[in-house]
Amino acid sequence: MSNIMLRNVIGDDLPIFFKHQQSSEANHMAAFTSKDPSDWDSFTTHWYKILTDKDIIKQTIIVENKVVGHISRFEQFGEPEVSFWIGKEYWGKEIATNALREFLNYVTIRPLYARAAKDNAGSLKVLEKCGFTITGEDSGFSNARGEDVEEFILTLN
């Protein structure tokens, strides 16, 4: 799918993002998610902090006039990092790859970092297709899995 459009996230996108977050498979793959993905109040509190933070670049991914996910650039551990979430029903259609490529035309800071659980083959593939390379490893507690999960740190120079 090449007809991807990115635009600023708006409040009306949040119920769609929340619905995407309800997939247990998506939460397992993302690993580092909220404690309770079904808690609307926590979700909106988190997102309103993101929406009001002028240092976070946050974009909604649109395909054929449908909100299919989001992508953002933020600071984590003092480094610029990118993250994305695509609704499960849109996986495997090159949407994440094309959205990230488009986003990287706009977000030109380098190096840029990303993180993905070591077993999240889909996200790792997207990142590698867009020029990110594995440069490190880390681990942390995964709310979605209830255990420590190993992750790769990837860098785009």
PDB file of all heavy atoms in Angstrom, residues 2 4 6-7 10 18 20 27 31-32 36 48 65 70 74-75 80 93 99 101 108 120-121 123 126 136 144 147:
ATOM      1  N   SER A   2       0.743   2.061  -0.982  1.00  0.00           N
ATOM      2  CA  SER A   2       1.590   3.235  -1.075  1.00  0.00           C
ATOM      3  C   SER A   2       0.833   4.519  -0.792  1.00  0.00           C
ATOM      4  O   SER A   2       1.423   5.574  -0.729  1.00  0.00           O
ATOM      5  CB  SER A   2       2.221   3.300  -2.466  1.00  0.00           C
ATOM      6  OG  SER A   2       1.203   3.356  -3.441  1.00  0.00           O
ATOM      7  N   ILE A   4      -0.226   6.127   1.710  1.00  0.00           N
ATOM      8  CA  ILE A   4      -0.164   6.410   3.140  1.00  0.00           C
ATOM      9  C   ILE A   4      -0.020   7.903   3.343  1.00  0.00           C
ATOM     10  O   ILE A   4       0.739   8.570   2.644  1.00  0.00           O
ATOM     11  CB  ILE A   4       1.014   5.663   3.783  1.00  0.00           C
ATOM     12  CG1 ILE A   4       0.686   4.175   3.801  1.00  0.00           C
ATOM     13  CG2 ILE A   4       1.323   6.181   5.168  1.00  0.00           C
ATOM     14  CD1 ILE A   4       1.769   3.311   4.320  1.00  0.00           C
ATOM     15  N   LEU A   6       0.440  10.823   6.527  1.00  0.00           N
ATOM     16  CA  LEU A   6       0.691  11.109   7.930  1.00  0.00           C
ATOM     17  C   LEU A   6       0.135  12.492   8.237  1.00  0.00           C
ATOM     18  O   LEU A   6       0.260  13.403   7.429  1.00  0.00           O
ATOM     19  CB  LEU A   6       2.191  11.093   8.236  1.00  0.00           C
ATOM     20  CG  LEU A   6       2.946   9.802   7.973  1.00  0.00           C
ATOM     21  CD1 LEU A   6       4.428   9.988   8.314  1.00  0.00           C
ATOM     22  CD2 LEU A   6       2.367   8.656   8.765  1.00  0.00           C
ATOM     23  N   ARG A   7      -0.484  12.627   9.390  1.00  0.00           N
ATOM     24  CA  ARG A   7      -0.950  13.935   9.850  1.00  0.00           C
ATOM     25  C   ARG A   7      -0.815  13.975  11.365  1.00  0.00           C
ATOM     26  O   ARG A   7      -0.621  12.942  12.011  1.00  0.00           O
ATOM     27  CB  ARG A   7      -2.384  14.200   9.411  1.00  0.00           C
ATOM     28  CG  ARG A   7      -3.393  13.289  10.051  1.00  0.00           C
ATOM     29  CD  ARG A   7      -4.769  13.949  10.094  1.00  0.00           C
ATOM     30  NE  ARG A   7      -5.816  13.010  10.396  1.00  0.00           N
ATOM     31  CZ  ARG A   7      -6.076  12.499  11.596  1.00  0.00           C
ATOM     32  NH1 ARG A   7      -5.316  12.806  12.628  1.00  0.00           N
ATOM     33  NH2 ARG A   7      -7.080  11.655  11.778  1.00  0.00           N
ATOM     34  N   ILE A  10      -4.888  13.792  16.456  1.00  0.00           N
ATOM     35  CA  ILE A  10      -5.962  14.604  17.040  1.00  0.00           C
ATOM     36  C   ILE A  10      -6.737  13.750  18.044  1.00  0.00           C
ATOM     37  O   ILE A  10      -6.654  12.510  18.010  1.00  0.00           O
ATOM     38  CB  ILE A  10      -6.903  15.177  15.961  1.00  0.00           C
ATOM     39  CG1 ILE A  10      -7.552  14.061  15.143  1.00  0.00           C
ATOM     40  CG2 ILE A  10      -6.156  16.171  15.058  1.00  0.00           C
ATOM     41  CD1 ILE A  10      -8.624  14.522  14.174  1.00  0.00           C
ATOM     42  N   PHE A  18      -7.042   3.238  20.872  1.00  0.00           N
ATOM     43  CA  PHE A  18      -7.425   2.412  22.020  1.00  0.00           C
ATOM     44  C   PHE A  18      -7.928   1.053  21.544  1.00  0.00           C
ATOM     45  O   PHE A  18      -7.560   0.017  22.104  1.00  0.00           O
ATOM     46  CB  PHE A  18      -8.501   3.135  22.844  1.00  0.00           C
ATOM     47  CG  PHE A  18      -8.887   2.420  24.097  1.00  0.00           C
ATOM     48  CD1 PHE A  18      -8.029   2.375  25.188  1.00  0.00           C
ATOM     49  CD2 PHE A  18     -10.116   1.793  24.212  1.00  0.00           C
ATOM     50  CE1 PHE A  18      -8.384   1.722  26.361  1.00  0.00           C
ATOM     51  CE2 PHE A  18     -10.488   1.134  25.376  1.00  0.00           C
ATOM     52  CZ  PHE A  18      -9.617   1.101  26.453  1.00  0.00           C
ATOM     53  N   HIS A  20      -7.087  -0.466  18.784  1.00  0.00           N
ATOM     54  CA  HIS A  20      -5.911  -1.214  18.325  1.00  0.00           C
ATOM     55  C   HIS A  20      -5.191  -1.850  19.504  1.00  0.00           C
ATOM     56  O   HIS A  20      -4.664  -2.958  19.395  1.00  0.00           O
ATOM     57  CB  HIS A  20      -4.943  -0.298  17.583  1.00  0.00           C
ATOM     58  CG  HIS A  20      -5.449   0.199  16.275  1.00  0.00           C
ATOM     59  ND1 HIS A  20      -4.887   1.283  15.638  1.00  0.00           N
ATOM     60  CD2 HIS A  20      -6.460  -0.211  15.472  1.00  0.00           C
ATOM     61  CE1 HIS A  20      -5.532   1.501  14.504  1.00  0.00           C
ATOM     62  NE2 HIS A  20      -6.491   0.612  14.384  1.00  0.00           N
ATOM     63  N   ASN A  27      -0.336  -6.571  21.870  1.00  0.00           N
ATOM     64  CA  ASN A  27       0.305  -6.242  23.144  1.00  0.00           C
ATOM     65  C   ASN A  27       1.475  -7.174  23.419  1.00  0.00           C
ATOM     66  O   ASN A  27       2.524  -6.741  23.887  1.00  0.00           O
ATOM     67  CB  ASN A  27      -0.712  -6.306  24.288  1.00  0.00           C
ATOM     68  CG  ASN A  27      -1.478  -5.027  24.417  1.00  0.00           C
ATOM     69  OD1 ASN A  27      -0.959  -4.044  24.919  1.00  0.00           O
ATOM     70  ND2 ASN A  27      -2.703  -5.027  23.943  1.00  0.00           N
ATOM     71  N   ALA A  31       5.132  -5.815  23.724  1.00  0.00           N
ATOM     72  CA  ALA A  31       5.715  -6.185  25.020  1.00  0.00           C
ATOM     73  C   ALA A  31       5.649  -5.055  26.047  1.00  0.00           C
ATOM     74  O   ALA A  31       5.119  -5.242  27.126  1.00  0.00           O
ATOM     75  CB  ALA A  31       7.142  -6.694  24.871  1.00  0.00           C
ATOM     76  N   PHE A  32       6.179  -3.902  25.717  1.00  0.00           N
ATOM     77  CA  PHE A  32       6.295  -2.817  26.688  1.00  0.00           C
ATOM     78  C   PHE A  32       5.090  -1.891  26.546  1.00  0.00           C
ATOM     79  O   PHE A  32       5.141  -0.858  25.882  1.00  0.00           O
ATOM     80  CB  PHE A  32       7.628  -2.099  26.516  1.00  0.00           C
ATOM     81  CG  PHE A  32       8.787  -3.062  26.653  1.00  0.00           C
ATOM     82  CD1 PHE A  32       9.428  -3.562  25.532  1.00  0.00           C
ATOM     83  CD2 PHE A  32       9.183  -3.497  27.907  1.00  0.00           C
ATOM     84  CE1 PHE A  32      10.468  -4.476  25.661  1.00  0.00           C
ATOM     85  CE2 PHE A  32      10.218  -4.419  28.043  1.00  0.00           C
ATOM     86  CZ  PHE A  32      10.863  -4.901  26.922  1.00  0.00           C
ATOM     87  N   ASP A  36      -2.669  -2.056  32.085  1.00  0.00           N
ATOM     88  CA  ASP A  36      -4.012  -2.539  31.766  1.00  0.00           C
ATOM     89  C   ASP A  36      -4.478  -1.886  30.462  1.00  0.00           C
ATOM     90  O   ASP A  36      -4.995  -0.768  30.476  1.00  0.00           O
ATOM     91  CB  ASP A  36      -4.985  -2.214  32.899  1.00  0.00           C
ATOM     92  CG  ASP A  36      -6.397  -2.701  32.623  1.00  0.00           C
ATOM     93  OD1 ASP A  36      -6.641  -3.318  31.556  1.00  0.00           O
ATOM     94  OD2 ASP A  36      -7.267  -2.455  33.472  1.00  0.00           O
ATOM     95  N   TYR A  48      -2.991  12.287  26.505  1.00  0.00           N
ATOM     96  CA  TYR A  48      -3.080  13.742  26.638  1.00  0.00           C
ATOM     97  C   TYR A  48      -1.739  14.328  27.062  1.00  0.00           C
ATOM     98  O   TYR A  48      -1.401  15.438  26.662  1.00  0.00           O
ATOM     99  CB  TYR A  48      -4.241  14.163  27.532  1.00  0.00           C
ATOM    100  CG  TYR A  48      -5.544  14.065  26.780  1.00  0.00           C
ATOM    101  CD1 TYR A  48      -6.546  13.210  27.201  1.00  0.00           C
ATOM    102  CD2 TYR A  48      -5.757  14.784  25.596  1.00  0.00           C
ATOM    103  CE1 TYR A  48      -7.723  13.080  26.490  1.00  0.00           C
ATOM    104  CE2 TYR A  48      -6.933  14.659  24.872  1.00  0.00           C
ATOM    105  CZ  TYR A  48      -7.917  13.813  25.324  1.00  0.00           C
ATOM    106  OH  TYR A  48      -9.074  13.676  24.606  1.00  0.00           O
ATOM    107  N   ASN A  65      -8.280   6.916   3.843  1.00  0.00           N
ATOM    108  CA  ASN A  65      -9.120   7.687   4.765  1.00  0.00           C
ATOM    109  C   ASN A  65      -9.437   6.965   6.071  1.00  0.00           C
ATOM    110  O   ASN A  65     -10.366   7.344   6.776  1.00  0.00           O
ATOM    111  CB  ASN A  65     -10.418   8.135   4.088  1.00  0.00           C
ATOM    112  CG  ASN A  65     -10.153   9.099   2.953  1.00  0.00           C
ATOM    113  OD1 ASN A  65      -9.326   9.999   3.097  1.00  0.00           O
ATOM    114  ND2 ASN A  65     -10.821   8.888   1.837  1.00  0.00           N
ATOM    115  N   HIS A  70      -0.267   4.843  14.504  1.00  0.00           N
ATOM    116  CA  HIS A  70       0.434   6.089  14.836  1.00  0.00           C
ATOM    117  C   HIS A  70       1.932   5.835  14.883  1.00  0.00           C
ATOM    118  O   HIS A  70       2.397   4.697  15.012  1.00  0.00           O
ATOM    119  CB  HIS A  70      -0.072   6.674  16.156  1.00  0.00           C
ATOM    120  CG  HIS A  70       0.003   5.736  17.321  1.00  0.00           C
ATOM    121  ND1 HIS A  70       1.134   5.565  18.073  1.00  0.00           N
ATOM    122  CD2 HIS A  70      -0.924   4.909  17.861  1.00  0.00           C
ATOM    123  CE1 HIS A  70       0.901   4.688  19.033  1.00  0.00           C
ATOM    124  NE2 HIS A  70      -0.344   4.261  18.922  1.00  0.00           N
ATOM    125  N   PHE A  74      10.303  10.728  20.131  1.00  0.00           N
ATOM    126  CA  PHE A  74      10.327  11.236  21.494  1.00  0.00           C
ATOM    127  C   PHE A  74      11.707  10.993  22.073  1.00  0.00           C
ATOM    128  O   PHE A  74      12.560  10.361  21.431  1.00  0.00           O
ATOM    129  CB  PHE A  74       9.243  10.530  22.342  1.00  0.00           C
ATOM    130  CG  PHE A  74       9.374   9.027  22.319  1.00  0.00           C
ATOM    131  CD1 PHE A  74      10.037   8.349  23.322  1.00  0.00           C
ATOM    132  CD2 PHE A  74       8.848   8.293  21.261  1.00  0.00           C
ATOM    133  CE1 PHE A  74      10.181   6.972  23.275  1.00  0.00           C
ATOM    134  CE2 PHE A  74       8.977   6.909  21.214  1.00  0.00           C
ATOM    135  CZ  PHE A  74       9.648   6.253  22.224  1.00  0.00           C
ATOM    136  N   GLU A  75      11.934  11.496  23.253  1.00  0.00           N
ATOM    137  CA  GLU A  75      13.204  11.267  23.944  1.00  0.00           C
ATOM    138  C   GLU A  75      13.030  10.131  24.943  1.00  0.00           C
ATOM    139  O   GLU A  75      12.049  10.108  25.696  1.00  0.00           O
ATOM    140  CB  GLU A  75      13.646  12.527  24.694  1.00  0.00           C
ATOM    141  CG  GLU A  75      13.950  13.712  23.801  1.00  0.00           C
ATOM    142  CD  GLU A  75      15.240  13.573  23.017  1.00  0.00           C
ATOM    143  OE1 GLU A  75      16.230  13.047  23.563  1.00  0.00           O
ATOM    144  OE2 GLU A  75      15.246  13.996  21.849  1.00  0.00           O
ATOM    145  N   PRO A  80      17.001  10.461  21.031  1.00  0.00           N
ATOM    146  CA  PRO A  80      15.810  10.515  20.194  1.00  0.00           C
ATOM    147  C   PRO A  80      15.416   9.109  19.722  1.00  0.00           C
ATOM    148  O   PRO A  80      16.260   8.351  19.240  1.00  0.00           O
ATOM    149  CB  PRO A  80      16.238  11.386  19.012  1.00  0.00           C
ATOM    150  CG  PRO A  80      17.717  11.206  18.929  1.00  0.00           C
ATOM    151  CD  PRO A  80      18.187  10.985  20.343  1.00  0.00           C
ATOM    152  N   LYS A  93       1.063  -5.584   5.401  1.00  0.00           N
ATOM    153  CA  LYS A  93       0.672  -4.872   4.167  1.00  0.00           C
ATOM    154  C   LYS A  93       1.635  -3.750   3.818  1.00  0.00           C
ATOM    155  O   LYS A  93       1.291  -2.865   3.044  1.00  0.00           O
ATOM    156  CB  LYS A  93      -0.752  -4.321   4.328  1.00  0.00           C
ATOM    157  CG  LYS A  93      -1.777  -5.426   4.561  1.00  0.00           C
ATOM    158  CD  LYS A  93      -3.165  -4.869   4.726  1.00  0.00           C
ATOM    159  CE  LYS A  93      -4.140  -6.022   4.955  1.00  0.00           C
ATOM    160  NZ  LYS A  93      -5.504  -5.577   5.127  1.00  0.00           N
ATOM    161  N   ALA A  99       5.034   3.944   6.219  1.00  0.00           N
ATOM    162  CA  ALA A  99       4.801   5.056   7.139  1.00  0.00           C
ATOM    163  C   ALA A  99       6.107   5.504   7.783  1.00  0.00           C
ATOM    164  O   ALA A  99       6.378   6.714   7.900  1.00  0.00           O
ATOM    165  CB  ALA A  99       3.790   4.663   8.203  1.00  0.00           C
ATOM    166  N   ARG A 101       9.147   5.115   6.550  1.00  0.00           N
ATOM    167  CA  ARG A 101       9.948   5.798   5.515  1.00  0.00           C
ATOM    168  C   ARG A 101       9.496   7.251   5.339  1.00  0.00           C
ATOM    169  O   ARG A 101      10.316   8.159   5.247  1.00  0.00           O
ATOM    170  CB  ARG A 101       9.833   5.051   4.186  1.00  0.00           C
ATOM    171  CG  ARG A 101      10.674   3.821   4.118  1.00  0.00           C
ATOM    172  CD  ARG A 101      10.635   3.186   2.741  1.00  0.00           C
ATOM    173  NE  ARG A 101      11.457   1.991   2.738  1.00  0.00           N
ATOM    174  CZ  ARG A 101      11.085   0.833   2.242  1.00  0.00           C
ATOM    175  NH1 ARG A 101       9.889   0.689   1.675  1.00  0.00           N
ATOM    176  NH2 ARG A 101      11.893  -0.208   2.286  1.00  0.00           N
ATOM    177  N   THR A 108      14.538  14.201  10.615  1.00  0.00           N
ATOM    178  CA  THR A 108      15.854  13.990  10.014  1.00  0.00           C
ATOM    179  C   THR A 108      16.986  13.896  11.035  1.00  0.00           C
ATOM    180  O   THR A 108      18.143  13.743  10.645  1.00  0.00           O
ATOM    181  CB  THR A 108      16.156  15.111   9.006  1.00  0.00           C
ATOM    182  OG1 THR A 108      16.074  16.375   9.682  1.00  0.00           O
ATOM    183  CG2 THR A 108      15.163  15.077   7.848  1.00  0.00           C
ATOM    184  N   ASN A 120       9.962  -9.852  18.213  1.00  0.00           N
ATOM    185  CA  ASN A 120       9.005  -9.080  17.423  1.00  0.00           C
ATOM    186  C   ASN A 120       9.547  -8.954  15.994  1.00  0.00           C
ATOM    187  O   ASN A 120      10.037  -7.908  15.570  1.00  0.00           O
ATOM    188  CB  ASN A 120       8.767  -7.704  18.049  1.00  0.00           C
ATOM    189  CG  ASN A 120       7.663  -6.930  17.367  1.00  0.00           C
ATOM    190  OD1 ASN A 120       7.288  -7.220  16.237  1.00  0.00           O
ATOM    191  ND2 ASN A 120       7.159  -5.915  18.053  1.00  0.00           N
ATOM    192  N   ALA A 121       9.456 -10.053  15.257  1.00  0.00           N
ATOM    193  CA  ALA A 121      10.036 -10.122  13.912  1.00  0.00           C
ATOM    194  C   ALA A 121       9.460  -9.061  12.987  1.00  0.00           C
ATOM    195  O   ALA A 121      10.186  -8.498  12.160  1.00  0.00           O
ATOM    196  CB  ALA A 121       9.818 -11.515  13.323  1.00  0.00           C
ATOM    197  N   SER A 123       8.252  -5.928  13.618  1.00  0.00           N
ATOM    198  CA  SER A 123       8.826  -4.599  13.852  1.00  0.00           C
ATOM    199  C   SER A 123      10.303  -4.558  13.494  1.00  0.00           C
ATOM    200  O   SER A 123      10.782  -3.566  12.932  1.00  0.00           O
ATOM    201  CB  SER A 123       8.625  -4.173  15.307  1.00  0.00           C
ATOM    202  OG  SER A 123       7.270  -3.885  15.546  1.00  0.00           O
ATOM    203  N   VAL A 126      10.556  -4.184   9.752  1.00  0.00           N
ATOM    204  CA  VAL A 126      10.220  -2.815   9.343  1.00  0.00           C
ATOM    205  C   VAL A 126      11.409  -1.893   9.580  1.00  0.00           C
ATOM    206  O   VAL A 126      11.814  -1.133   8.691  1.00  0.00           O
ATOM    207  CB  VAL A 126       8.982  -2.302  10.114  1.00  0.00           C
ATOM    208  CG1 VAL A 126       8.817  -0.791   9.958  1.00  0.00           C
ATOM    209  CG2 VAL A 126       7.727  -3.024   9.657  1.00  0.00           C
ATOM    210  N   GLY A 136      22.604  -2.806  19.892  1.00  0.00           N
ATOM    211  CA  GLY A 136      22.694  -3.119  21.308  1.00  0.00           C
ATOM    212  C   GLY A 136      21.522  -3.973  21.765  1.00  0.00           C
ATOM    213  O   GLY A 136      20.638  -4.314  20.973  1.00  0.00           O
ATOM    214  N   ALA A 144       2.756  -6.614  29.327  1.00  0.00           N
ATOM    215  CA  ALA A 144       1.942  -7.491  28.483  1.00  0.00           C
ATOM    216  C   ALA A 144       2.263  -8.965  28.709  1.00  0.00           C
ATOM    217  O   ALA A 144       1.395  -9.823  28.554  1.00  0.00           O
ATOM    218  CB  ALA A 144       2.133  -7.136  27.011  1.00  0.00           C
ATOM    219  N   GLU A 147       6.699 -10.571  32.565  1.00  0.00           N
ATOM    220  CA  GLU A 147       8.060 -11.049  32.807  1.00  0.00           C
ATOM    221  C   GLU A 147       9.056 -10.124  32.131  1.00  0.00           C
ATOM    222  O   GLU A 147       8.678  -9.283  31.308  1.00  0.00           O
ATOM    223  CB  GLU A 147       8.232 -12.473  32.260  1.00  0.00           C
ATOM    224  CG  GLU A 147       8.055 -12.577  30.761  1.00  0.00           C
ATOM    225  CD  GLU A 147       8.095 -13.998  30.229  1.00  0.00           C
ATOM    226  OE1 GLU A 147       8.175 -14.944  31.020  1.00  0.00           O
ATOM    227  OE2 GLU A 147       8.057 -14.157  29.004  1.00  0.00           O
TER     228      GLU A 147
END
